[in-house]
Structure formats: structure tokens, C-alpha cells
Amino acid sequence: MTTRVSPLDVIDWASVKPFWIEAFGAGDDESPPGPGRHVWRVDSGDEVVALGVDREFETWLGEQRVPTAGIAGITVPAEHRGGGYLRPLFETLLGAARERGALLSGLYPTSSGIYRSLGYAPVAHLDDVAVPTHLLEVRGDAADVRRASPEDLPAIAAAYAAWARQHRGPLTRDGISFPDPAKAFTDSTTGVTLAESSPGQVTGYAAWDRGKGYGTGAVLTVRELVALDRPSLVGLLRTLGSFASVTPTTVIRTSTPDDWTGLLRSDDSRVQSRSTYMVKVLDVAAFRALSPAPALTAELPFTWQGQGYMASVAGGQVDVAATASTTASRELDDTAIVQTLFGASDSR
Ligand SMILES: CC(C)(COP(=O)(O)OP(=O)(O)OC[C@H]1O[C@@H](n2cnc3c(N)ncnc32)[C@H](O)[C@@H]1OP(=O)(O)O)[C@@H](O)C(=O)NCCC(=O)NCCS
């Protein structure tokens, strides 16, 4: 039977919505197509056999913003699973993303095996780390802390951007897919605590949800913890630690646990749940975002997907150009190219 991949019309939204609800559970369905959100459908005969969403994101990489296709809502209705519909879905969806300039694609899989053969490789984890709250009463010089008010949202967003651009992989939180930058901080939070290393300068924040009750079983949940320097981290952790008498456990959502678990006086923290973030390289032009050491000069031939390339490193920049030769000794598969891009640290 012929398989067709096409954009989903808003008018068809209601008829396919049940597939997301049954796949991910009620209340976790995807939103309709809209600005920055492209929904794709695969049809076989007169049946919808797969759905997927491509969101227009940007990734911080080497302090540059790299256009990214953020994949969500990949679903095959139960009776059609195992039919091989994901490959044509991804070919068309990512082809359209490439056309608008996306150089990377990223997703959080329910099972990483699904996406490995489609060229995605793990680059990071987003963990919920459970820690005895009293351990957060850490020692050291602490920045001043205060409760954020709505007027602080631009400063919080700026602190996030300053943190994110120093890392490889976090998304920017502005542009077409983030019409409400405050959402990440205000969703399900009781409060946002700010750290200020110097007066008026927001150098970190913790967005936390107090949860219900107190005593055994009560949990303080930290949705986001960002600190641009150590005194800010100490000040924020200590504020969270002050809940020890009422919430014996704190669960901190984090992609950089090493930044703060090293400050605790015991290793008595554990990863409660883990989401793996996977990335696929759509175009070698993504390498141009890297910032190698200015003194480094190199010519690095490689092949990827049967095409030869030359990466030229000079003056703190990388250029990549296709070459006629495909005899380079360094052959990168899809995983190796992701690891090359995300594996090394930038020169600072
Ligand atoms: C995940 C899901 C979309 C896969 O659909 P499917 O019809 O089995 O996919 P395909 O037949 O096109 O298979 C694609 C590849 O993924 C692999 N795969 C499928 N399900 C897998 C799983 N749960 N774990 C590991 N690999 C899996 C297949 O073996 C195949 O690999 P191959 O290309 O190397 O042979 C489908 O099971 C589903 O809708 N599940 C519920 C929602 C969900 O988990 N969505 C993913 C959100 S990230």
C-alpha cells in the first residue's frame, strides 16, 4: 500500500488527537500546528499510521545559536507499530527542517533504541536527583538571596541565557517557539529564589515547588537550578537546605549534577529518574559554531554518509567544506559525528 507523508492540517487535528492521548496518557497530548510547530502525518491507504512534531528551536553550541528541529509527539497507532513508518516520517520531516536551515535535531526519547538507527545519539541527561535536604546546607561564601517578583523575569531569563550559552546543547528560550519566556519559571512553582553575587546582578536562581505536607514523605521539588558562580550556588543550595525540618527530601531536576553534588558533605544522593537527550546532525555546517583555541591550526579530512569533507581549523574558527575525495581515513558514522560535535569543550 502507498505511504504518504504530509503536513497535518489544523482541521484534522481533532481526529488524530486521540492517538497522542492513548500513546502518552491523557493530558499529555500535543498542541495543534502553529507558529514554529510543524505537525506531520503518515497515511497508508485511508488510515493515519504515524504522527510527529517538529518544533523550531535553537541550540547553544560554542556560544552560537544553532537552528534545531526539536522532535516531539512521535506516535504510531498501536495496530500499526513495527510497520517501519518512522523512517519515511523522519526523512520528510527532517528534510523540511533542513530547508528552513536547521543544522541539528534533538529529542527526549521514550526509548533511545528507537532513534539510534535514525542517526540520533545521546549527548546529555536530564536527571531528577533526590537528596536529603539537610545536605544542601553547604559551607562556603554565599551570595545574597531574595524571592523573585514578576519584574525579575527578564533578569532570570538573562541568567538562564548566560548559563546556557556556556554549555553545549541547552536550548535558547526565545524566538518563535517561546512566546512566553516566563513559562519555564512559573509553571508549577511556589517560588523562585534569586542569587545576587553583587547588588542588582542576578547570578543564579532556583525555581521550586514546596509540595504538600511536612515531615516524612514530604518533598521539595526544584524545577530548575542555575548558578553562574560558586557563591550563587552556595546561597541557593543553603536556601533550599533551610527546608530540612519540613521536607526531608529535595528532588532537583538537573543536567549538570556534578556542579552541585560535589559541594555536599555526603554522596547520599541518587538519580530518581533520567531522561536522555539525543541529537542528530543534519548538516556539517553545525561545526562552524565551535570555537577552537585560536593558536590551533589543522586540516581534518573525514567522510560522513558517503561524502568527503575537510574541516579547516584556524584563527579560533572552524570551516567545513565538501570535497571530491571520499578516501579520508577518518570515517564518522552518525554517532561519531554527534560525539565529535558535543564531546569536546570549547576554548575560552
Ligand atoms: C515508539 C513507536 C513510535 C515506534 O513505532 P514502530 O512502528 O515500532 O517504529 P518502526 O517500525 O518504524 O521502527 C523504527 C525503529 O525503532 C525500533 N524500535 C521500535 N520501538 C522500539 C523500542 N520500544 N525500543 C527500542 N527500539 C524500538 C525498531 O526496531 C526500528 O529499528 P530499526 O530501524 O533498526 O529496525 C511506537 O511504538 C509508539 O507509538 N509508542 C508509543 C509512543 C512512544 O513511545 N513514542 C516515542 C516518543 S519519543
Side-chain angles (χ1 to χ4, degrees):
M1 209 168 295
T2 324
T3 299
R4 297 179 314 282
V5 187
S6 57
L8 181 85
D9 287 335
V10 178
I11 199 164
D12 295 325
W13 173 250
S15 65
V16 298
K17 199 173 164 188
F19 294 132
W20 279 297
I21 294 176
E22 66 186 33
F24 299 110
D28 199 14
D29 51 310
E30 282 294 328
S31 306
R37 178 189 290 273
H38 311 279
V39 184
W40 291 87
R41 64 189 288 170
V42 183
D43 291 84
S44 179
D46 56 3
E47 284 191 275
V48 176
V49 292
L51 293 163
V53 182
D54 159 28
R55 300 191 61 192
E56 292 184 35
F57 289 156
E58 288 176 303
T59 299
W60 281 113
L61 188 70
E63 303 214 13
Q64 309 273 343
R65 307 162 75 108
V66 178
T68 300
I71 305 301
I74 298 296
T75 309
V76 172
E79 298 75 10
H80 296 288
R81 289 176 191 160
Y85 297 117
L86 291 194
R87 196 164 290 278
L89 171 65
F90 272 77
E91 272 171 17
T92 304
L93 177 156
L94 293 178
R98 269 192 204 93
E99 274 178 28
R100 67 158 193 271
L103 304 181
L104 299 174
S105 175
L107 52 79
Y108 284 99
T110 51
S111 169
S112 59
I114 307 166
Y115 300 101
R116 281 188 184 270
S117 62
L118 295 168
Y120 289 80
V123 295
H125 294 119
L126 186 60
D127 290 338
D128 285 337
V129 179
V131 57
T133 304
H134 70 89
L135 289 181
L136 299 174
E137 291 163 354
V138 294
R139 294 179 185 163
D141 291 340
D144 289 339
V145 293
R146 66 177 175 84
R147 186 66 61 89
S149 66
E151 293 77 59
D152 292 311
L153 286 169
I156 296 171
Y160 170 80
W163 171 86
R165 66 188 299 157
Q166 292 170 6
H167 292 79
R168 288 189 180 196
L171 298 182
T172 67
R173 285 195 187 151
D174 47 27
I176 194 167
S177 293
F178 294 93
D180 177 10
K183 200 168 183 300
F185 310 107
T186 50
D187 260 8
S188 311
T189 52
T190 310
V192 178
T193 299
L194 302 183
E196 295 185 338
S197 289
S198 51
Q201 187 72 30
V202 174
T203 43
Y205 61 88
W208 47 272
D209 173 19
R210 168 59 184 77
K212 291 215 172 358
Y214 65 92
T216 310
V219 176
L220 177 68
T221 303
V222 180
R223 311 259 173 225
E224 191 152 283
L225 174 66
V226 162
L228 299 177
D229 55 35
R230 187 163 169 144
S232 300
L233 185 56
V234 171
L236 292 169
L237 291 177
R238 228 182 251 168
T239 306
L240 299 168
S242 74
F243 281 94
S245 60
V246 284
T247 55
T249 303
T250 297
V251 174
I252 302 182
R253 176 158 291 185
T254 180
S255 60
T256 51
D258 293 348
D259 286 358
W260 56 271
T261 52
L263 296 182
L264 312 184
R265 268 177 286 161
S266 140
D267 284 343
D268 193 15
S269 57
R270 68 188 162 77
V271 175
Q272 192 174 268
S273 70
R274 160 161 288 184
S275 302
T276 301
Y277 186 58
M278 300 180 84
V279 167
K280 175 182 168 77
V281 174
L282 302 183
D283 192 316
V284 289
F287 279 89
R288 297 196 181 115
L290 300 182
S291 351
L296 186 66
T297 304
E299 296 274 278
L300 304 167
F302 66 95
T303 58
W304 175 53
Q305 295 185 341
Q307 169 67 54
Y309 294 96
M310 179 65 78
S312 308
V313 180
Q317 294 188 322
V318 180
D319 194 19
V320 191
T323 58
S325 165
T326 53
T327 56
S329 58
R330 190 179 286 104
E331 184 173 345
L332 302 181
D333 63 16
D334 286 334
T335 298
I337 202 156
V338 170
Q339 288 172 343
T340 305
L341 197 54
F342 283 81
S345 294
D346 296 308
S347 140
R348 296 197 194 287

